[in-house]
């Protein structure tokens, strides 16, 4: 009986370690400067570059956070940002 409890405890710890590693490995570092390749497309009528779309996709989990920042929200909530989001086929966040 003691061996079963020990095995279950080891299995539980192993699962926790695995889950923690997956979460850390897939975490995104929110940094609005990562969206700098999109600046020209947001502020002008130009098309977004592949680098812009890639960074926008990468930073997508952070967009609601950016929208809450008074210094960034004028850019994130702008018609240009919505145009870039659409052109990159990334759903505009509903925060």
């Amino acid at each position: 009986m003691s061996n079963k409890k020990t095995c279950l405890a080891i299995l539980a710890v192993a699962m926790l370690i695995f889950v923690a590693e997956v979460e850390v490995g897939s975490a995104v570092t929110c940094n609005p400067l990562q969206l700098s390749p999109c600046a020209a497309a947001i502020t002008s009528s130009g098309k977004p570059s592949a680098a812009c779309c890639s960074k926008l996709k990468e930073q997508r989990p952070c967009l609601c956070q950016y929208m809450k920042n008074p210094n960034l929200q004028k850019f994130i909530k702008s018609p240009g940002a919505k145009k870039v989001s659409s052109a990159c086929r990334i759903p505009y966040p509903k925060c």
Side-chain angles (χ1 to χ4, degrees):
M1 185 112 172
S2 179
N3 282 340
K4 286 183 180 180
K5 287 183 180 178
T6 303
C7 286
L8 286 174
I10 291 172
L11 181 61
V13 170
M15 291 298 291
L16 287 173
I17 291 170
F18 174 74
V19 169
E21 286 181 13
V22 169
E23 288 178 2
V24 170
S26 65
V28 174
T29 301
C30 293
N31 181 353
L33 293 177
Q34 294 291 315
L35 296 175
S36 61
C38 298
I42 290 172
T43 58
S44 71
S45 60
K47 282 186 155 185
S49 65
C52 167
C53 292
S54 174
K55 287 297 183 178
L56 185 58
K57 199 172 287 185
E58 178 185 298
Q59 292 287 303
R60 184 174 177 219
C62 307
L63 295 179
C64 286
Q65 176 186 335
Y66 299 159
M67 289 176 115
K68 294 175 185 171
N69 182 325
N71 297 320
L72 300 174
Q73 64 182 213
K74 62 184 171 189
F75 298 107
I76 302 297
K77 292 183 176 181
S78 72
K82 291 177 183 176
K83 172 194 64 131
V84 169
S85 177
S86 176
C88 291
R89 295 186 175 149
I90 296 169
Y92 189 78
K94 295 177 182 173
C95 306

